[in-house]
Amino acid sequence: MTAVLEVKELIYTHRIRRSIFSAPDEFVLGPISFAVNAGETLALTGHNGSGKTLLAKALVGAIQPQQGSILLEGKEVEQSDKKTRNHDIRLILQHSNTTLNKAVTVGNVLNQTLQLNTKLDEQDRKAKIEQTLVRVGLLREHYYFYRHMLSDGQQQRVSLARAMILDPKIIIADEPFAALDPSVRSQTVNLILDIQRDLGMAFIFISQNLGIVRHISDTVMIIDKGKVIESGKTARVFQNPQHELTQKLIDSHFSLVDKHFGQF
Amino acid sequence: MPRFSLYQEEFHPSPFMHIWLEFKRSHFALVGLAVLLMFCGIAVLAPLMSPYDPNIQNTNAILLPPAWEGNGSISHIFGTDALGRDVFSRTLHGARTTFGSSVILVIIALLIGVALGTLAGMNKGVKSSVLNHLLDSLMAVPTLLIAIIIVAILGTGLLNSMMAIILALIPQFVHQTRSFVREEMKKDYVLLDKLDGASSARIFWKSILPSMFELLAVQSTLALSVAIIDISALGFLSLGAQVPLVELGASLSQSLEVAYSAPWLVALPGFCIFLMVLAVNIVGEGLRSALRNRLIH
């Protein structure tokens, strides 16, 4: 069985020039290799600034890695072949007030995505949008809504709708739950799990919240300073972390959880 | 799938509608809007509304006071000037020239400024930053001063003074548009649009321009009040509209000689300019606060 997405020896060097006189600071991401099968979830975790978001951007093609290859169902994706890539690999960003345009309706956002990536006519597009809105737990009426009429959780559902409307093979989500409150967060987590089970797509999920990571992922990859320090089946990594840093991350997370539950 | 509507009213107000609903709440702003609309009406309908030709001289009625004075006549409701011309007709025609030309020049400056600002904002690099800094340095100089210099080069006349004010107003629009477009281009939704395969032109027309509307509305009202004052100032200095054309600033300076014997000749055009600028500023302020409050309610 070929993996939906396979990444081989990906290297991306990010240069930041702080002033014209000093030498640029270099941040090297990789080399990173991994594979995700259909219906599986891979979680990426690590400290802030460890390169998780850069990896997500490199996968969707927002930045161009210097070395390595990305294979989609065994075929290499070219940087120039935007159509296939847009269609099959979709990105969900962390909720913030810049992920949705305040002056464009939800319907028009989704309509543009369909217009640019499918050959559906206007009626089919409308039907598809309504179907997708209902699928992510919104109403048909939300077609006409603007950003400021939606709650944070609803806005994140719109982002999810935008990602899944093209029936992609893989969705990459960069901290999709970070800014949501706990109850809305667990609703959204369960919604994504449901959708993943129904449609059988792969899911790459970036999060700092180890509780959610353990709940939803099959495999986990811990990144630090651009390098993969540990990866493996989630259950194995959580039970028996090999790397010192992984151990620290897991300990600090569960000591907090234990303290919290200790109060009751 | 069964269709049902959860909401009784199928009312989905657009951002534009929201602004109007919010704008309506301020009575003060509504009065300003009414006055502004009145001037728009005058600008279009002045020839139909005025009882006399503004340049016809009636030698039987020279320096007739307005109708509300004891020795005034109802046939000349605002009185007549030193050459026996009807002041009411002259005020209407003058308002038409001043207000109409200001609106036209603001629209032209807006179009040119937004086009240049968008090009500068969507492109990166030396060229756009050179353009930006050159225009920024122009913004430090008052528009009237720039306009006077340009008129001195091009020669007097309404058309030339309009061109001068357009050139003086463009830097403001370029600056505002450029910084707005640059900010928007950094936002996540533009990244998502790009990943959807949208071209730069599409991102501009479908995503950035709709969100820029508010900024342009506020900026245009500011520019309009500046334009009205500049057009009448150039007219007052006899650099703007020339004689057969009636213009408020020009009428003001012509009637200065008889200001002591016929004060209404100065007061009426002056009051008219004052009312125009006041209405534009009140509408602009109402629009600004409506935009601010729109997201709260």
Side-chain angles (χ1 to χ4, degrees):
Chain A
M1 180 183 161
T2 47
V4 175
L5 186 80
E6 196 175 351
V7 172
K8 283 181 184 161
E9 299 294 317
L10 187 86
I11 298 179
Y12 177 77
T13 316
H14 186 56
R15 286 195 181 82
I16 310 163
R17 198 178 269 272
R18 300 208 188 279
S19 80
I20 48 171
F21 300 112
S22 63
D25 288 343
E26 271 196 8
F27 178 83
V28 184
L29 173 71
I32 287 180
S33 304
F34 63 88
V36 192
N37 293 321
E40 264 186 19
T41 302
L42 167 72
L44 299 175
T45 187
H47 286 301
N48 287 340
S50 57
K52 305 182 301 272
T53 303
L54 274 181
L55 178 59
K57 285 188 173 166
L59 291 178
V60 293
I63 54 175
Q64 163 94 65
Q66 278 86 358
Q67 280 176 51
S69 53
I70 299 169
L71 283 80
L72 189 66
E73 295 190 313
K75 283 195 288 278
E76 182 148 356
V77 286
E78 302 289 332
Q79 191 69 25
S80 54
D81 183 18
K82 283 227 166 73
K83 276 268 175 288
T84 335
R85 196 172 192 159
N86 295 338
H87 198 284
D88 291 343
I89 310 178
R90 305 284 298 166
L91 180 68
I92 302 177
L93 292 168
Q94 177 173 1
H95 168 73
S96 72
N97 53 13
T98 64
T99 40
L100 264 178
N101 190 339
K102 63 174 188 244
V104 181
T105 57
V106 170
N108 282 342
V109 169
L110 299 176
N111 191 26
Q112 168 174 289
T113 306
L114 284 179
Q115 230 173 3
L116 290 169
N117 292 294
T118 61
K119 294 191 178 70
L120 299 177
D121 64 17
E122 184 141 5
Q123 263 185 331
D124 289 347
R125 283 205 297 269
K126 183 125 200 240
K128 177 79 182 167
I129 290 168
E130 290 185 344
Q131 188 195 333
T132 312
L133 284 178
V134 173
R135 188 71 196 80
V136 296
L138 295 171
L139 298 167
R140 278 188 203 87
E141 281 80 2
H142 285 115
Y143 189 97
Y144 303 100
F145 276 42
Y146 289 92
R147 190 189 78 196
H148 65 273
M149 305 169 175
L150 300 170
S151 70
D152 289 351
Q154 285 171 326
Q155 289 182 29
Q156 200 57 359
R157 281 165 197 255
V158 172
S159 294
L160 177 62
R162 188 176 186 173
M164 60 169 280
I165 196 163
L166 293 176
D167 299 321
K169 302 205 167 69
I170 181 156
I171 288 184
I172 296 165
D174 183 6
E175 304 258 14
F177 315 118
L180 304 177
D181 66 64
S183 71
V184 176
R185 187 189 295 156
S186 40
Q187 276 176 20
T188 321
V189 168
N190 291 337
L191 175 69
I192 287 184
L193 286 178
D194 279 353
I195 290 171
Q196 190 189 12
R197 200 177 48 230
D198 292 353
L199 304 179
M201 55 194 167
F203 193 53
I204 293 181
F205 167 69
I206 299 173
S207 178
Q208 306 243 26
N209 186 328
L210 292 180
I212 296 181
V213 166
R214 190 159 77 157
H215 181 54
I216 78 173
S217 67
D218 300 302
T219 47
V220 63
M221 206 156 85
I222 293 114
I223 300 180
D224 185 49
K225 296 184 183 123
K227 306 273 180 291
V228 178
I229 55 169
E230 185 159 3
S231 67
K233 290 276 172 236
T234 307
R236 203 274 298 153
V237 172
F238 272 82
Q239 242 136 53
N240 185 18
Q242 301 296 315
H243 197 279
E244 189 188 356
L245 199 79
T246 320
Q247 227 151 9
K248 262 191 201 158
L249 272 174
I250 292 173
D251 284 351
S252 62
H253 175 73
F254 286 104
S255 69
L256 270 179
V257 171
D258 289 343
K259 241 185 234 160
H260 181 72
F261 284 110
Q263 292 171 358
F264 297 102
Chain B
M1 264 190 290
R3 293 196 63 113
F4 65 95
S5 181
L6 197 67
Y7 301 109
Q8 297 279 303
E9 325 162 15
E10 282 284 327
F11 179 54
H12 307 291
S14 62
F16 188 73
M17 197 65 200
H18 266 279
I19 297 170
W20 169 241
L21 291 176
E22 200 57 50
F23 186 84
K24 242 178 18 179
R25 294 157 61 98
S26 159
H27 298 171
F28 200 51
L30 272 186
V31 172
L33 185 68
V35 175
L36 198 64
L37 288 178
M38 182 191 81
F39 279 114
C40 290
I42 289 175
V44 179
L45 299 173
L48 298 176
M49 286 161 77
S50 56
Y52 300 92
D53 185 302
N55 286 318
I56 279 210
Q57 304 178 1
N58 180 1
T59 40
N60 296 327
I62 287 175
L63 287 181
L64 207 63
W68 53 87
E69 300 268 327
N71 47 357
S73 151
I74 197 69
S75 59
H76 294 285
I77 192 164
F78 281 2
T80 56
D81 68 2
L83 296 171
R85 296 174 294 194
D86 180 49
V87 175
F88 182 61
S89 309
R90 286 182 72 76
T91 310
L92 287 184
H93 275 84
R96 171 189 166 93
T97 315
T98 309
F99 188 75
S101 58
S102 304
V103 169
I104 292 171
L105 74 86
V106 166
I107 290 173
I108 296 173
L110 174 83
L111 291 178
I112 298 175
V114 168
L116 283 176
T118 307
L119 285 179
M122 292 186 88
N123 295 316
K124 284 175 196 152
V126 184
K127 261 185 281 178
S128 86
S129 111
V130 165
L131 173 77
N132 190 46
H133 290 302
L134 270 181
L135 291 173
D136 275 4
S137 60
L138 269 184
M139 280 176 63
V141 188
T143 52
L144 187 59
L145 197 59
I146 302 177
I148 289 176
I149 295 167
I150 297 174
V151 167
I153 298 166
L154 292 176
T156 57
L158 182 65
L159 215 59
N160 282 352
S161 58
M162 275 174 73
M163 275 203 279
I165 298 170
I166 290 175
L167 287 176
L169 285 179
I170 284 175
Q172 296 179 11
F173 283 109
V174 173
H175 179 82
Q176 296 276 345
T177 315
R178 177 182 177 274
S179 51
F180 183 81
V181 170
R182 277 187 87 96
E183 275 309 304
E184 292 300 291
M185 289 301 279
K186 285 183 206 149
K187 289 188 175 169
D188 286 341
Y189 72 80
V190 173
L191 174 68
L192 290 173
D193 282 347
K194 275 189 197 154
L195 289 177
D196 274 348
S199 62
S200 300
R202 193 190 173 96
I203 291 176
F204 174 70
W205 288 110
K206 301 271 176 173
S207 297
I208 294 180
L209 197 59
S211 50
M212 195 157 60
F213 173 78
E214 316 174 339
L215 171 90
L216 294 182
V218 171
Q219 191 64 24
S220 308
T221 55
L222 282 177
L224 188 58
S225 71
V226 170
I228 291 171
I229 290 178
D230 285 3
I231 280 274
S232 37
L234 287 176
F236 185 82
L237 299 171
S238 323
L239 298 172
Q242 297 301 309
V243 161
L245 203 59
V246 190
E247 199 272 328
L248 289 178
S251 322
L252 206 64
S253 75
Q254 282 160 22
S255 43
L256 269 185
E257 296 155 22
V258 287
Y260 287 112
S261 53
W264 66 89
L265 290 181
V266 183
L268 287 169
F271 182 69
C272 201
I273 296 174
F274 164 73
L275 207 60
M276 260 183 225
V277 175
L278 184 70
V280 170
N281 281 333
I282 288 175
V283 169
E285 184 53 44
L287 211 53
R288 249 193 306 281
S289 60
L291 292 171
R292 216 177 23 243
N293 295 338
R294 182 175 63 114
L295 300 178
I296 301 171
H297 297 295

